[in-house]
Amino acid sequence: MKKLNLFSVSLCALLGGGAVVSPALAAEPLLLKNAQITKTTDTPAPVAEAPLAAPAPVLAAEQQVYVLQNIVVTGQQRIEPSTVLSYLGLRNGQTVTMSDMDEAMKRLYETGFFRDMKAVPQQVAGNQLVLNVSVVENPLINRVAFEGNKAAEDKDLEKELDLKSRSIFTRAKVQSDTKRIVDIYRRKGRYSARVEPKIVQLDQNRVDLVYEIEEGPEAMVRDIRFIGNNQFTSAQLREAIRTEEAAWYKFLSSDDTYDQDRLQYDQELMRRFYLKQGYADFQIKSAVAELNKEKDSFFITFTIDEGQRYRVGDVSVNSNVASVDPKLLQDKVNIQKGDVYNASEVETTVDALVNELGDKGFAFVNVNPDIDRKADERLINLAFNINEGPKVYVERIDIKGNARTVDKVIRREFRLAEGDPYSSTKLKRTEQRLNNLGYFSKVAIANEPGSAPDRTVINVDVEEQSTGEISLGGGFSSVDGVLADFGIRESNLLGRGQDLRLKALLSARRQQYDIGFTEPYFLDRDLAAGVDLFKMATDFTNQGTFNLEDNGGRLRFGYSLGENLRHNFNYSLHDSTISDVDPNASVFIKAQQGNYLTSAIGQSFNYDTRNNRFQTTSGTFLNLVQDLAGLGGDVKYLRHEVQAAHFVPIAPKWTWMAGGSAGNIFGLTGQNVRLNDRYFIGQEEIRGFALGGIGPRDTTTRDALGGNNYYAVTTELQFPVGLPDDLGVSGAIFTDAANLWEIDNSGAGISSGDSLRVSAGVGVAWASPFGPIRLDVAKAIAKEKQDDTQLVRFSFGTRF
């Protein structure tokens, strides 16, 4: 048998410079249980194994034709010889040339399964060949581990990598994954991060892959400069963008670290800022971020061209839809001739026109603003053109991001369904309803073309937030002393939108416990159903009066009467006991001693147009409540109460609020209203006074007796306090006024308290990482000598 001087497959050329296909790496021992560890380098070290047989000399005739009599595969451990043959693409009896065998070995290399391979052909008779293929397999990865990573979790790094447990180790993929990890840290602002991959050799040709990470410091933004700004100061422009200069008090914010994507967003924010101020020609010439030598600080420079300022010229509304009269839409255009041009106002006007047309039933119209710029006159003429739009229907609604909240909780808030005509008005209302749930920190709704020109797909992307809430409150009054309240609530129980709450109020004189559960869509209908249980004990014995206990429950139902109007009704049953009346207590309280059962039905109408129930800046809230007691039980009365609030944005971050409430209760069939059914108002309705701090009292004992009638009004201005926005601190100035009067057995020995009380004060609110914190300091301006006042009221809470 004659061995052919055939070839050493041109893998040297394939790998460059005669490199052997091997990821064996330069040895570098580490203290890891005597395991042998090698370190990846750009230049591979020689393979620490017995060398494969040296190839025979290359044949002179590169294109000479041979017949493969047999192919022998050796050296494989996990991979079957048949699998190697399938990758080679050669078979017994096949006619081949040296070039064919060269290409076959290249295909075998490209699988990534082998770190070394050699082909030795042997000529056995005439042009008959036996091809001996020897391979050394790449190791199998046992596990991938990370060391030194604190700013990035293992799971976040793992999902970015190609190499995972049970995958085949290759040096090219290690280098690629190393670069990906570095990129992750760059996105986190750590530009000095270093990643060093190492392998731990195990038995059975397995390895552990360990990435040793030096994260380095975050690259902070030390300075933001502007070139070309003549109309606005650099401080004003820094307020307009998202990126901030680093400062010691910004430890809770990440906006002072460099982020390339945020820098792009900043340019858009700056463009919007100038367009709001009338600079329609504004341009950003360049935005450059320079990294210092230590790679821990960035210096950002914006070069801008402000251009000239424009004012509004002619404004018109034109309709190309026969059934739409543009004159009826003029009141929706708040832009006047002579105003400074504001691109944001143009967008707002377009939205207002589209919403108005949608409310009038025109689902398939477009409003296109025509902006005619007169540079010589520094004027912009505006024409809002109403045109027929394509008839588009909702093909599908896709929801993502809701890992916890079930789909139907989101879908039931939609004002659109699959198959409905597309309406931007209804879509905007849907987004508002989803935000009002309080389940999501971000709601993004967009649409894209569907499977046909008249079809659209609505994509909903939500970002869930904590919906569990722990609230703590505290205060001090001259009657109750130190008081505290505690509440725990889950408003999205098990992701099904159900509400479960528990609340307790504790003081030296009063203990109150409430538990409630609400199913907002009972039987999958727009019918809210709920149940409440409560227990209240008020101890007045230390002041020589009495104890009051009130235990009971309530069933609630509610349904929608319109987009912003709901009707609710309830049934309550509770047992009230006034006991342990001190001999020195008010005679009017002694007369109330005993046990009474109250059975009552009630209803309420709720109207709500607030833009956000949690951080309201505009809209109206109105609630009308009626209760009738006497369907069984011992107590008979009719009660009415109304609550209202109106919010108006008067400037960016400035909101004015006016609100009030009023109530009346009177006994039926000759009954007097009992002590525990009367109104007791104070700190919630009129700050500066304690709970039950105003109203009728016993002139001898000073015991508060409550009242059958009350009203309370408040007005408050909420404003920024000048601190950086990321601190989340705002201020408030408020004035409250209230009155509480009349009880059925009024007469000698009772001070009616029938006079207006007024208080004024200031408040500070902090949207802290631990939850909202509010501190109010109020002074009673108009009061009576028997009133109980409270100077300071604070509350705070946290979410989980």
Side-chain angles (χ1 to χ4, degrees), residues 48 54 119 175 196 213 363 409 411 449 579 712 716 742 753 785:
Q175 292 172 338
E196 190 173 10
I213 301 171
V409 172
R411 290 184 181 276
S579 61
E716 180 172 296
E742 189 177 299
K785 62 181 181 179

PDB file of all heavy atoms in Angstrom, residues 48 54 119 175 196 213 363 409 411 449 579 712 716 742 753 785:
ATOM      1  N   ALA A  48      -1.902  21.422  24.025  1.00  0.00           N
ATOM      2  CA  ALA A  48      -1.176  20.583  24.981  1.00  0.00           C
ATOM      3  C   ALA A  48      -1.634  19.139  24.859  1.00  0.00           C
ATOM      4  O   ALA A  48      -2.145  18.537  25.774  1.00  0.00           O
ATOM      5  CB  ALA A  48      -1.379  21.102  26.390  1.00  0.00           C
ATOM      6  N   ALA A  54       1.643  13.700  11.100  1.00  0.00           N
ATOM      7  CA  ALA A  54       2.046  14.719  10.141  1.00  0.00           C
ATOM      8  C   ALA A  54       1.465  14.401   8.778  1.00  0.00           C
ATOM      9  O   ALA A  54       1.432  13.247   8.348  1.00  0.00           O
ATOM     10  CB  ALA A  54       3.572  14.788  10.053  1.00  0.00           C
ATOM     11  N   ALA A 119      -6.274  15.786   7.640  1.00  0.00           N
ATOM     12  CA  ALA A 119      -6.685  14.765   6.677  1.00  0.00           C
ATOM     13  C   ALA A 119      -5.442  14.145   6.053  1.00  0.00           C
ATOM     14  O   ALA A 119      -4.576  14.865   5.539  1.00  0.00           O
ATOM     15  CB  ALA A 119      -7.571  15.372   5.604  1.00  0.00           C
ATOM     16  N   GLN A 175     -14.681  35.609  22.417  1.00  0.00           N
ATOM     17  CA  GLN A 175     -14.294  36.992  22.148  1.00  0.00           C
ATOM     18  C   GLN A 175     -15.505  37.853  21.841  1.00  0.00           C
ATOM     19  O   GLN A 175     -15.606  39.003  22.288  1.00  0.00           O
ATOM     20  CB  GLN A 175     -13.297  37.013  20.991  1.00  0.00           C
ATOM     21  CG  GLN A 175     -11.944  36.391  21.337  1.00  0.00           C
ATOM     22  CD  GLN A 175     -11.045  36.246  20.132  1.00  0.00           C
ATOM     23  OE1 GLN A 175     -11.504  36.213  18.993  1.00  0.00           O
ATOM     24  NE2 GLN A 175      -9.745  36.149  20.380  1.00  0.00           N
ATOM     25  N   GLU A 196     -12.313  39.781  31.529  1.00  0.00           N
ATOM     26  CA  GLU A 196     -11.273  38.811  31.210  1.00  0.00           C
ATOM     27  C   GLU A 196     -11.870  37.405  31.309  1.00  0.00           C
ATOM     28  O   GLU A 196     -12.222  36.937  32.397  1.00  0.00           O
ATOM     29  CB  GLU A 196     -10.107  38.950  32.187  1.00  0.00           C
ATOM     30  CG  GLU A 196      -8.893  38.143  31.771  1.00  0.00           C
ATOM     31  CD  GLU A 196      -7.695  38.439  32.655  1.00  0.00           C
ATOM     32  OE1 GLU A 196      -7.874  39.120  33.681  1.00  0.00           O
ATOM     33  OE2 GLU A 196      -6.597  37.989  32.320  1.00  0.00           O
ATOM     34  N   ILE A 213     -14.757  40.224  35.915  1.00  0.00           N
ATOM     35  CA  ILE A 213     -15.169  41.569  35.519  1.00  0.00           C
ATOM     36  C   ILE A 213     -14.646  42.599  36.508  1.00  0.00           C
ATOM     37  O   ILE A 213     -14.828  42.444  37.722  1.00  0.00           O
ATOM     38  CB  ILE A 213     -16.709  41.656  35.440  1.00  0.00           C
ATOM     39  CG1 ILE A 213     -17.246  40.630  34.431  1.00  0.00           C
ATOM     40  CG2 ILE A 213     -17.167  43.062  35.066  1.00  0.00           C
ATOM     41  CD1 ILE A 213     -18.753  40.497  34.451  1.00  0.00           C
ATOM     42  N   ALA A 363     -65.140  59.062  12.320  1.00  0.00           N
ATOM     43  CA  ALA A 363     -63.998  58.224  12.692  1.00  0.00           C
ATOM     44  C   ALA A 363     -62.907  58.232  11.632  1.00  0.00           C
ATOM     45  O   ALA A 363     -61.751  57.953  11.920  1.00  0.00           O
ATOM     46  CB  ALA A 363     -64.458  56.789  12.951  1.00  0.00           C
ATOM     47  N   VAL A 409     -57.451  42.017  32.028  1.00  0.00           N
ATOM     48  CA  VAL A 409     -57.496  43.223  32.855  1.00  0.00           C
ATOM     49  C   VAL A 409     -57.171  44.449  32.013  1.00  0.00           C
ATOM     50  O   VAL A 409     -57.732  45.529  32.210  1.00  0.00           O
ATOM     51  CB  VAL A 409     -56.521  43.086  34.038  1.00  0.00           C
ATOM     52  CG1 VAL A 409     -56.394  44.394  34.799  1.00  0.00           C
ATOM     53  CG2 VAL A 409     -56.975  41.980  34.983  1.00  0.00           C
ATOM     54  N   ARG A 411     -57.407  44.458  28.484  1.00  0.00           N
ATOM     55  CA  ARG A 411     -58.352  44.544  27.366  1.00  0.00           C
ATOM     56  C   ARG A 411     -59.690  45.157  27.780  1.00  0.00           C
ATOM     57  O   ARG A 411     -60.325  45.859  26.972  1.00  0.00           O
ATOM     58  CB  ARG A 411     -58.576  43.154  26.769  1.00  0.00           C
ATOM     59  CG  ARG A 411     -57.359  42.606  26.026  1.00  0.00           C
ATOM     60  CD  ARG A 411     -57.636  41.266  25.370  1.00  0.00           C
ATOM     61  NE  ARG A 411     -56.451  40.773  24.699  1.00  0.00           N
ATOM     62  CZ  ARG A 411     -56.083  41.109  23.473  1.00  0.00           C
ATOM     63  NH1 ARG A 411     -56.846  41.948  22.776  1.00  0.00           N
ATOM     64  NH2 ARG A 411     -54.988  40.621  22.939  1.00  0.00           N
ATOM     65  N   PRO A 449     -49.520  49.101  10.282  1.00  0.00           N
ATOM     66  CA  PRO A 449     -50.362  48.529   9.237  1.00  0.00           C
ATOM     67  C   PRO A 449     -50.666  47.055   9.486  1.00  0.00           C
ATOM     68  O   PRO A 449     -49.828  46.296   9.969  1.00  0.00           O
ATOM     69  CB  PRO A 449     -49.517  48.719   7.970  1.00  0.00           C
ATOM     70  CG  PRO A 449     -48.598  49.853   8.286  1.00  0.00           C
ATOM     71  CD  PRO A 449     -48.315  49.735   9.759  1.00  0.00           C
ATOM     72  N   SER A 579     -70.937  52.831  75.621  1.00  0.00           N
ATOM     73  CA  SER A 579     -70.904  52.213  76.958  1.00  0.00           C
ATOM     74  C   SER A 579     -69.887  52.923  77.836  1.00  0.00           C
ATOM     75  O   SER A 579     -69.162  53.819  77.380  1.00  0.00           O
ATOM     76  CB  SER A 579     -70.555  50.730  76.835  1.00  0.00           C
ATOM     77  OG  SER A 579     -69.274  50.562  76.243  1.00  0.00           O
ATOM     78  N   ALA A 712     -67.403  72.383  53.809  1.00  0.00           N
ATOM     79  CA  ALA A 712     -65.962  72.667  53.852  1.00  0.00           C
ATOM     80  C   ALA A 712     -65.507  73.000  52.444  1.00  0.00           C
ATOM     81  O   ALA A 712     -65.917  72.358  51.470  1.00  0.00           O
ATOM     82  CB  ALA A 712     -65.185  71.467  54.387  1.00  0.00           C
ATOM     83  N   GLU A 716     -56.012  75.414  46.799  1.00  0.00           N
ATOM     84  CA  GLU A 716     -54.598  75.112  46.989  1.00  0.00           C
ATOM     85  C   GLU A 716     -53.840  75.373  45.700  1.00  0.00           C
ATOM     86  O   GLU A 716     -54.310  75.042  44.601  1.00  0.00           O
ATOM     87  CB  GLU A 716     -54.416  73.649  47.418  1.00  0.00           C
ATOM     88  CG  GLU A 716     -52.967  73.239  47.629  1.00  0.00           C
ATOM     89  CD  GLU A 716     -52.846  71.853  48.247  1.00  0.00           C
ATOM     90  OE1 GLU A 716     -53.292  71.679  49.396  1.00  0.00           O
ATOM     91  OE2 GLU A 716     -52.320  70.953  47.560  1.00  0.00           O
ATOM     92  N   GLU A 742     -75.613  72.314  64.298  1.00  0.00           N
ATOM     93  CA  GLU A 742     -76.951  71.787  64.567  1.00  0.00           C
ATOM     94  C   GLU A 742     -76.950  70.334  65.000  1.00  0.00           C
ATOM     95  O   GLU A 742     -76.427  69.448  64.302  1.00  0.00           O
ATOM     96  CB  GLU A 742     -77.852  71.925  63.324  1.00  0.00           C
ATOM     97  CG  GLU A 742     -79.306  71.583  63.632  1.00  0.00           C
ATOM     98  CD  GLU A 742     -80.195  71.790  62.401  1.00  0.00           C
ATOM     99  OE1 GLU A 742     -80.277  72.942  61.914  1.00  0.00           O
ATOM    100  OE2 GLU A 742     -80.768  70.801  61.936  1.00  0.00           O
ATOM    101  N   GLY A 753     -71.574  76.369  68.016  1.00  0.00           N
ATOM    102  CA  GLY A 753     -70.407  76.353  67.140  1.00  0.00           C
ATOM    103  C   GLY A 753     -70.727  76.803  65.743  1.00  0.00           C
ATOM    104  O   GLY A 753     -70.001  76.482  64.795  1.00  0.00           O
ATOM    105  N   LYS A 785     -63.284  79.553  70.883  1.00  0.00           N
ATOM    106  CA  LYS A 785     -62.409  79.198  71.994  1.00  0.00           C
ATOM    107  C   LYS A 785     -62.494  77.724  72.374  1.00  0.00           C
ATOM    108  O   LYS A 785     -61.555  77.163  72.916  1.00  0.00           O
ATOM    109  CB  LYS A 785     -62.704  80.078  73.202  1.00  0.00           C
ATOM    110  CG  LYS A 785     -64.114  79.938  73.751  1.00  0.00           C
ATOM    111  CD  LYS A 785     -64.330  80.870  74.942  1.00  0.00           C
ATOM    112  CE  LYS A 785     -65.739  80.739  75.534  1.00  0.00           C
ATOM    113  NZ  LYS A 785     -65.927  81.622  76.698  1.00  0.00           N
TER     114      LYS A 785
END
